[in-house]
Amino acid sequence: MDDVNREGDMLAGVDGPEPAANRPPRALIESDRVEGTAVYDMAGERIGTVKRFLVDKRTGMAQYAEMAFGGFLGIGSHVYPLPWEMLDYEADKGGYVVDLTEDQLRDAPHHPDEDRRLVDDTYDVEIRQYFGLMRM
């Protein structure tokens, strides 16, 4: 492999001079690796997966993780937009942890997965009020 390709691979986190197990974890992650990541409650129970995440077009910052929850084999599942600041990544679990119970999540604002509802200003307020996270 030439030096240019090796440097590109190292920057992308796919190659490096030492084995992956010996390298410190990186703060950045590719979007397709976030999608499908498990979400756990505080007791360590898996309560869903990240379906997709929403990014502010102007700032480039993630604002919401849409979590798939419920249904059977993806049929009848709903999407729950969780404000990004509610998620804590825990490397030992290989997923995100949220301080929510299944019951709290079940009552949270959500929509059928096939609707792909836009998080507009009105929906943003509804979601943030439910979780007690009003914007300043």
Side-chain angles (χ1 to χ4, degrees):
M1 175 181 292
D2 66 15
D3 289 337
V4 172
N5 287 334
R6 176 168 298 284
E7 182 178 328
D9 286 349
M10 288 172 58
L11 290 171
V14 296
D15 189 24
E18 48 185 305
N22 297 335
R23 290 188 300 235
R26 291 178 170 79
L28 297 177
I29 188 169
E30 297 88 358
S31 61
D32 61 337
R33 293 188 63 183
V34 174
E35 296 164 357
T37 301
V39 179
Y40 300 92
D41 64 15
M42 297 299 281
E45 297 294 319
R46 184 178 175 149
I47 58 173
T49 58
V50 175
K51 178 77 174 177
R52 64 188 144 262
F53 62 98
L54 300 125
V55 177
D56 184 299
K57 288 183 204 179
R58 285 180 234 111
T59 67
M61 303 292 290
Q63 297 297 308
Y64 283 95
E66 289 191 329
M67 191 180 87
F69 173 73
F72 179 70
L73 298 175
I75 300 169
S77 68
H78 285 83
V79 173
Y80 295 76
L82 300 177
W84 192 259
E85 64 265 28
M86 292 183 67
L87 286 84
D88 287 316
Y89 185 76
E90 290 196 12
D92 62 319
K93 287 185 173 51
Y96 294 95
V97 175
V98 293
D99 191 6
L100 290 173
T101 65
E102 239 181 82
D103 288 336
Q104 288 172 309
L105 184 59
R106 211 178 308 285
D107 293 336
H110 62 280
H111 54 274
D113 185 26
E114 54 276 357
D115 284 356
R116 292 193 70 154
R117 181 174 176 183
L118 174 67
V119 179
D120 59 12
D121 290 342
T122 303
Y123 199 30
D124 180 59
V125 169
E126 178 186 348
I127 295 164
R128 290 184 170 282
Q129 280 180 337
Y130 179 83
F131 292 115
L133 298 170
M134 294 310 296
R135 291 192 192 273
M136 298 294 161

